[in-house]
């Protein structure tokens, strides 16, 4: 049997509560992110690039059109930043889709610094 139970009114009126434990977790390093890049070529139709951006990257038509123009003018554009697995999947999907439609569109990924 307990000799003494603390009642709310019996409890000493100080701010230090010994029952609170602070648990520190080791710092976990965030996994690196990867940029997915679309490269320009002279053969893939602009409309196809817009379609790819809408379908695989969830862009609106206006966003996709802007990115397509960037690829066209600058030769390359970042179309998204993802974890390694997702970036790899997106690159594979785009490359596969382009090949099936007989377009030489290139999609690559690189680690974000």
């Amino acid at each position: 049997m307990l000799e003494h139970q603390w009642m709310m009114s019996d409890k000493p009126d100080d701010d230090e509560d010994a029952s609170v434990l602070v648990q520190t977790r080791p710092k976990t390093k965030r996994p690196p992110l990867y940029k997915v890049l679309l490269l320009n070529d002279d053969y893939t139709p602009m409309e196809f690039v817009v379609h790819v951006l809408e379908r695989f990257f969830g862009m609106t038509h206006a966003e996709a059109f802007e990115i397509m123009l960037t690829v066209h003018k600058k030769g390359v554009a970042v179309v998204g930043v993802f974890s390694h697995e997702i970036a790899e999947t997106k690159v594979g999907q785009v490359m596969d889709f382009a090949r099936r439609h007989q377009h030489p569109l290139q999609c690559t990924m690189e680690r974000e610094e």
Side-chain angles (χ1 to χ4, degrees):
M1 184 147 200
L2 294 174
E3 285 183 22
H4 182 68
Q5 277 189 332
W6 286 98
M7 301 301 273
M8 284 305 275
S9 58
D10 293 341
K11 199 169 182 182
D13 198 23
D14 63 343
D15 286 20
E16 294 180 56
D17 186 355
S19 68
V20 175
L21 296 175
V22 177
Q23 188 178 17
T24 56
R25 281 188 281 193
K27 291 240 190 238
T28 52
K29 200 173 175 189
R30 293 185 74 154
L33 293 175
Y34 290 79
K35 297 184 282 192
V36 174
L37 307 162
L38 218 49
L39 309 176
N40 189 44
D41 64 74
D42 294 332
Y43 305 102
T44 304
M46 292 178 173
E47 300 80 35
F48 184 79
V49 175
V50 170
H51 179 68
V52 163
L53 293 168
E54 291 170 343
R55 179 172 178 161
F56 298 106
F57 298 94
M59 294 183 188
T60 65
H61 187 75
E63 291 167 333
F65 193 81
E66 283 299 311
I67 297 287
M68 176 276 296
L69 285 178
T70 301
V71 172
H72 183 68
K73 291 175 186 170
K74 297 188 175 179
V76 65
V78 175
V79 296
V81 179
F82 308 96
S83 68
H84 185 272
E85 293 76 19
I86 293 174
E88 204 170 48
T89 299
K90 298 260 185 210
V91 168
Q93 287 173 327
V94 170
M95 294 297 290
D96 198 48
F97 191 69
R99 218 172 311 146
R100 279 186 289 142
H101 288 84
Q102 299 171 346
H103 294 302
L105 182 65
Q106 293 293 301
C107 186
T108 62
M109 61 188 265
E110 65 182 42
R111 189 174 172 148
E112 190 175 52
E113 298 303 320

